[in-house]
């Protein structure tokens, strides 16, 4: 679960990192307040939210077991633990 959360946080930060790289490449003031106007930050936030939503939809659609699969829980056979599987 923590991997999924960290992945989504990373996806959210991508637009801000790209803009920071743009500011660094153009030798603008990366840490100056005038380089980060409210309108630019708002647009970056909207793009970041769109990326996160797309990531969550993709995660929901393409991860997990097939729809008709059956989960066989972990059990012990001959004194050994057999992990759970989806068949």
């Amino acid at each position: 679960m923590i991997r999924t959360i960290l992945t989504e946080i990373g996806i959210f930060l991508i637009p801000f990192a790209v803009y920071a790289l743009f500011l660094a490449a153009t030798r603008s003031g990366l840490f100056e307040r005038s380089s980060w106007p409210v309108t630019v930050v708002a647009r970056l936030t909207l793009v970041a939210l769109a990326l996160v939503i797309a990531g969550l939809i993709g995660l929901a659609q393409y991860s997990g077991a097939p729809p008709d699969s059956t989960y066989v829980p972990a059990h012990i056979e001959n004194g050994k633990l057999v992990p759970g599987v989806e068949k």
Side-chain angles (χ1 to χ4, degrees):
M1 185 67 176
I2 191 76
R3 179 177 42 159
T4 305
I5 292 170
L6 290 177
T7 301
E8 294 301 324
I9 290 171
I11 290 173
F12 182 83
L13 294 175
I14 288 173
F16 298 99
V18 169
Y19 184 66
L21 287 173
F22 168 75
L23 289 176
T26 58
R27 297 180 187 223
S28 299
L30 180 61
F31 297 108
E32 292 179 17
R33 190 177 183 111
S34 62
S35 296
W36 297 86
V38 175
T39 55
V40 171
V41 173
R43 288 179 184 157
L44 291 172
T45 303
L46 289 176
V47 170
L49 288 175
L51 287 174
V52 168
I53 290 169
L56 289 172
I57 290 172
L59 182 69
Q61 288 294 322
Y62 300 111
S63 68
D68 296 331
S69 65
T70 303
Y71 178 69
V72 179
H75 57 280
I76 296 180
E77 285 183 7
N78 299 327
K80 294 190 177 186
L81 179 64
V82 178
V85 294
E86 296 171 359
K87 294 182 178 182

